[in-house]
């Protein structure tokens, strides 16, 4: 395992065969006995499209998206959302991860974090990237395409998304999952669900249907 100290921005990762490691050394002009200043490398993703929604039991959902600004897919992504008062003091804080395990290069992955006991009010919030690492793509089968997707509202504020998933790659796909994200009129995330299609094994050249219900956080 490798890691940075917590005050430098925690980042843990499993080492893999063939992975390149860069170990800095003190140059000839280094000053003996002087501790170098650790400058954390900014994580290559941003947190956007945040939407808050109260729950009937006094909790608070925070929806949003992780946007990968790197040129490589990411995994092991985690983030934190803090609710602040007027003096920028933390009232409550939660940590979590996107619903999708893999965030493609220049791609997006939604998240839904729950404040189980939220403060009655807050003045602002802070969204913090915590961890990320280059994805080991041997763990994922990515030759899948969603086609003919359609969405429609129905009774009791439920929004239904249906369509087909096609396997366009050279192998059979197993443990197939879908991530559905709902947006409001200004692009904020207002609903997220991860679910399986009708069949979660798709042979090469084959396809399966899906029909998934979501409840938008803002109501009907």
């Amino acid at each position: 395992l490798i890691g940075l100290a917590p005050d430098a921005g925690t980042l843990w990762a499993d080492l893999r065969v063939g992975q390149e490691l860069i170990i800095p050394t003190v140059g000839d002009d280094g000053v003996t006995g002087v501790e170098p200043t650790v400058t954390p490398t900014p994580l290559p993703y941003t947190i956007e499209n945040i939407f808050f929604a109260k729950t009937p039991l006094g909790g608070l959902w925070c929806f949003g998206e992780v946007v990968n600004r790197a040129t490589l897919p990411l995994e092991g992504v985690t983030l934190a959302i803090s609710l602040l008062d007027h003096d920028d003091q933390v009232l409550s804080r939660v940590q979590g991860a996107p619903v999708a395990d893999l965030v493609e290069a220049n791609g997006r992955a939604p998240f839904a974090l729950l404040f189980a006991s939220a403060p009655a009010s807050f003045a602002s919030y802070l969204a913090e990237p915590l961890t990320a690492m280059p994805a080991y793509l041997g763990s994922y089968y990515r030759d899948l395409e969603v086609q003919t997707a359609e969405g429609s509202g129905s009774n009791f504020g439920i929004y239904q998304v249906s369509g087909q998933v096609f396997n366009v790659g050279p192998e059979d796909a197993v443990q197939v999952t879908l991530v559905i994200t709902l947006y409001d009129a200004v692009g904020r995330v207002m609903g997220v669900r991860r679910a399986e299609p009708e069949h979660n094994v798709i042979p090469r050249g084959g396809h399966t249907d899906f029909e998934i219900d979501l409840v938008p956080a803002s109501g009907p």
Side-chain angles (χ1 to χ4, degrees), residues 28-52:
D28 294 336
D29 57 348
V31 179
T32 304
V34 177
E35 289 293 328
T37 301
V38 177
T39 303
T41 301
L43 292 172
Y45 67 89
T46 56
I47 302 169
E48 301 179 5
N49 298 334
I50 289 179
F51 181 85
F52 291 97

Side-chain angles (χ1 to χ4, degrees), residues 4-21:
L4 296 174
D7 58 355
T10 305
L11 174 60
W12 294 101
D14 294 323
L15 298 182
R16 301 188 179 93
V17 174
Q19 179 176 346
E20 181 181 356
L21 299 181

Side-chain angles (χ1 to χ4, degrees), residues 150-167:
E150 297 180 347
S152 62
S154 60
N155 295 330
F156 309 110
I158 294 175
Y159 194 83
Q160 186 176 85
V161 180
S162 60
Q164 294 178 313
V165 182
F166 286 78
N167 182 355

Side-chain angles (χ1 to χ4, degrees), residues 80-220:
I81 304 293
S82 299
L83 305 180
L84 310 177
D85 63 15
H86 290 283
D87 297 320
D88 291 333
Q89 299 300 306
V90 176
L91 299 172
S92 186
R93 185 175 187 267
V94 295
Q95 294 181 208
V99 177
D101 300 319
L102 179 75
V103 189
E104 293 282 5
N106 300 310
R108 299 171 177 270
F111 63 84
L113 303 183
L114 176 64
F115 292 86
S117 300
S121 63
F122 60 97
S124 60
Y125 66 87
L126 175 65
E128 302 171 86
L130 296 181
T131 65
M133 69 184 78
Y136 176 59
L137 297 180
S139 299
Y140 302 94
Y141 185 82
R142 304 155 71 204
D143 296 322
L144 299 169
E145 293 182 359
V146 174
Q147 299 182 14
T148 64
E150 297 180 347
S152 62
S154 60
N155 295 330
F156 309 110
I158 294 175
Y159 194 83
Q160 186 176 85
V161 180
S162 60
Q164 294 178 313
V165 182
F166 286 78
N167 182 355
V168 297
E171 306 290 342
D172 295 345
V174 300
Q175 298 181 6
V176 176
T177 58
L178 286 159
V179 175
I180 309 294
T181 310
L182 299 182
Y183 300 89
D184 66 8
V186 295
R188 299 174 301 180
V189 177
M190 55 184 290
V192 172
R193 186 175 175 190
R194 177 172 175 161
E196 294 182 356
E198 183 176 343
H199 301 287
N200 70 350
V201 176
I202 309 176
R204 60 179 182 175
H207 71 276
T208 186
D209 299 330
F210 66 88
E211 189 174 284
I212 298 171
D213 293 338
L214 300 90
V215 179
S218 63

